[in-house]
Amino acid sequence: MTKSGGTATVFIDGEAGTTGLGIRDRLRDVAGIEVRSIDPDKRKDVAAKKALMAEVDVVVLCLHDDAARESVALAAELGEAAPRILDASTAHRTAPGWVYGFAEMAKGQRAAIASASHVANPGCYPTGAIALLKPLIEEGVLPADYPVAIHAVSGYSGGGRAMIEAYEAGTAPKFELYGLGLEHKHIPEIKLYGGLTRRPVFVPSVGDFRQGMLVTIALHLDLLNGEMKPADLEAILAARYAGSDLVSVESTEGSGGKIEPEALNETDRLELRVFGNENRGQALLVARLDNLGKGASGAAVQNLRIMLGL
């Protein structure tokens, strides 16, 4: 039930940022949702923001972590008039009382999102990593304490305003690793929702392309439980995501042993693949997605639709 009894209303707190703009653009094609905006000169007016929150059904937070926490506290002051919250920041992804907004992650996750008052939109890198890891751990094939190392590359649009401006001005490097202090903010959600008991090593990188993402995890087959072949890993993933509209497991035949990151740009899809060399006892799990699609704005709109029953 919406507050108005009719069309669902949504306020995007931080709609001028990359994720906020992406959500607003996608919502133009979604019937049954009306986006409410605050006057630009009142974006930092706490009273005006609180008044708008009281009027809408869902507030989507596209803010830095501290600002997101402040907005959640502000909404809570409304008591029974408080809106539901969908947070696209990192602030609440592992927080108690928040539902993780990856509908395909587990049985019952979609229903949990549908009934939740507080939903945390997943990170882009974690979406790929969790999609690959969780089914294998739950099936008992990948030990939960496996020394997982995740390497990933993203387009520069996921790096914030300064990075975007540097790449578009031609002053940024063509490619670089970052987060080499091994304290990246996405690690806690990968560990928690992936089902790992050992903290993974996560090495992200950025390339000179606007959007698109590859997430890769290398495995030694003799360290897995059971006599696993690459085809067995593929079958487990395929069974988990069978019937999903957005997540698919694709064959590696005909790939030439190559994959590029931009093929799913402007879509909300997530593709998973298992490359392998059975003779060498090795496999490489690969997830491909648009970091602005299933990795950010697309996932947020999917969660909005689920939360509002659309």
Side-chain angles (χ1 to χ4, degrees), residues 27-49:
L27 287 179
R28 291 193 182 99
D29 299 324
V30 179
I33 293 180
E34 175 190 346
V35 177
R36 302 271 184 90
S37 296
I38 196 167
D39 292 337
D41 59 345
K42 292 185 177 181
R43 284 177 181 167
K44 295 186 178 180
D45 185 325
V46 175
K49 182 185 288 191

Side-chain angles (χ1 to χ4, degrees), residues 143-156:
D145 64 350
Y146 191 97
V148 169
I150 303 162
H151 290 75
V153 62
S154 174
Y156 60 77

Side-chain angles (χ1 to χ4, degrees), residues 10-187:
V10 173
F11 164 44
I12 305 171
D13 192 359
E15 67 178 355
T18 302
T19 299
L21 289 171
I23 293 171
R24 189 176 182 89
D25 184 60
R26 282 170 165 80
L27 287 179
R28 291 193 182 99
D29 299 324
V30 179
I33 293 180
E34 175 190 346
V35 177
R36 302 271 184 90
S37 296
I38 196 167
D39 292 337
D41 59 345
K42 292 185 177 181
R43 284 177 181 167
K44 295 186 178 180
D45 185 325
V46 175
K49 182 185 288 191
K50 188 174 181 179
L52 182 54
M53 285 181 168
E55 296 175 0
V56 300
D57 298 297
V58 181
V59 173
V60 183
L61 305 179
C62 299
L63 306 166
H64 294 298
D65 287 7
D66 288 343
R69 294 185 185 98
E70 291 171 1
S71 287
V72 170
L74 185 64
E77 293 176 4
L78 293 168
E80 293 185 358
R84 299 168 77 185
I85 305 288
L86 174 59
D87 186 7
S89 80
T90 315
H92 299 100
R93 288 179 185 160
T94 60
W98 287 74
V99 172
Y100 196 60
F102 188 179
E104 298 86 1
M105 181 179 76
K107 184 177 181 180
Q109 196 69 18
R110 180 179 293 269
I113 295 167
S115 61
S117 61
H118 293 76
V119 176
N121 212 51
C124 49
Y125 291 121
T127 296
I130 293 165
L132 293 167
L133 291 168
K134 190 176 182 66
L136 301 181
I137 290 175
E138 290 188 341
E139 285 295 317
V141 170
L142 182 66
D145 64 350
Y146 191 97
V148 169
I150 303 162
H151 290 75
V153 62
S154 174
Y156 60 77
S157 57
R161 180 174 296 176
M163 180 178 286
I164 292 171
E165 290 176 351
Y167 271 96
E168 293 186 345
T171 59
K174 295 297 182 183
F175 177 87
E176 65 178 349
L177 301 178
Y178 66 98
L180 296 181
L182 304 181
E183 289 287 355
H184 195 281
K185 63 182 181 179
H186 286 162
I187 292 175

